[in-house]
Amino acid sequence: MPPILTVRFYRTASGAEPVRHWLVGQLSPAARKAIGADIKTVQFGWPVGMPVVRKMEPGLWEVRSNIPEGIGRVFFTLVDSEMVLLHGFVKKTQATPKADLALAALRMKEVRA
């Protein structure tokens, strides 16, 4: 069965892929595997709700992953049938940090423009 959504990493004007860099550079192999499995769940099962996906604001969702480092979050938006991974971080507090949410919202506006 083909995936419902294709997945791509957000790319900056200089060509950097911050989510890929975060996954490869800052997380353990176990964390990467868990986050990858959750992204695949979204890719093949969209629409997906809690506990895997939570809507943050119009057009912006987060993939929620329990990883050895804590609580992994990957913000994404949809462009047609493409899941664009905008920002990833390890959540350390109950509330989503405003700076992380703002960065994801800024990138969302950029890819949807």
Side-chain angles (χ1 to χ4, degrees), residues 78-105:
L78 298 177
V79 178
D80 300 318
S81 61
E82 192 171 54
M83 178 184 186
V84 183
L85 307 181
L86 301 168
H87 178 57
F89 66 103
V90 176
K91 194 170 160 186
K92 296 185 173 22
T93 61
Q94 191 71 23
T96 298
K98 287 188 180 3
D100 289 297
L101 189 57
L103 180 59

Side-chain angles (χ1 to χ4, degrees), residues 18-82:
V19 177
R20 185 187 305 268
H21 178 77
W22 171 72
L23 285 167
V24 173
Q26 298 179 26
L27 297 178
S28 66
R32 289 196 298 271
K33 186 174 180 181
I35 291 169
D38 289 336
I39 289 170
K40 189 174 178 182
T41 296
V42 177
Q43 185 181 11
F44 282 85
W46 185 256
V48 177
M50 291 287 279
V52 178
V53 174
R54 178 172 164 220
K55 187 167 190 163
M56 300 305 291
E57 57 183 57
L60 185 66
W61 294 266
E62 69 175 1
V63 175
R64 306 155 53 91
S65 303
N66 290 317
I67 58 174
E69 290 84 342
I71 304 163
R73 295 288 186 261
V74 178
F75 287 117
F76 71 94
T77 192
L78 298 177
V79 178
D80 300 318
S81 61
E82 192 171 54

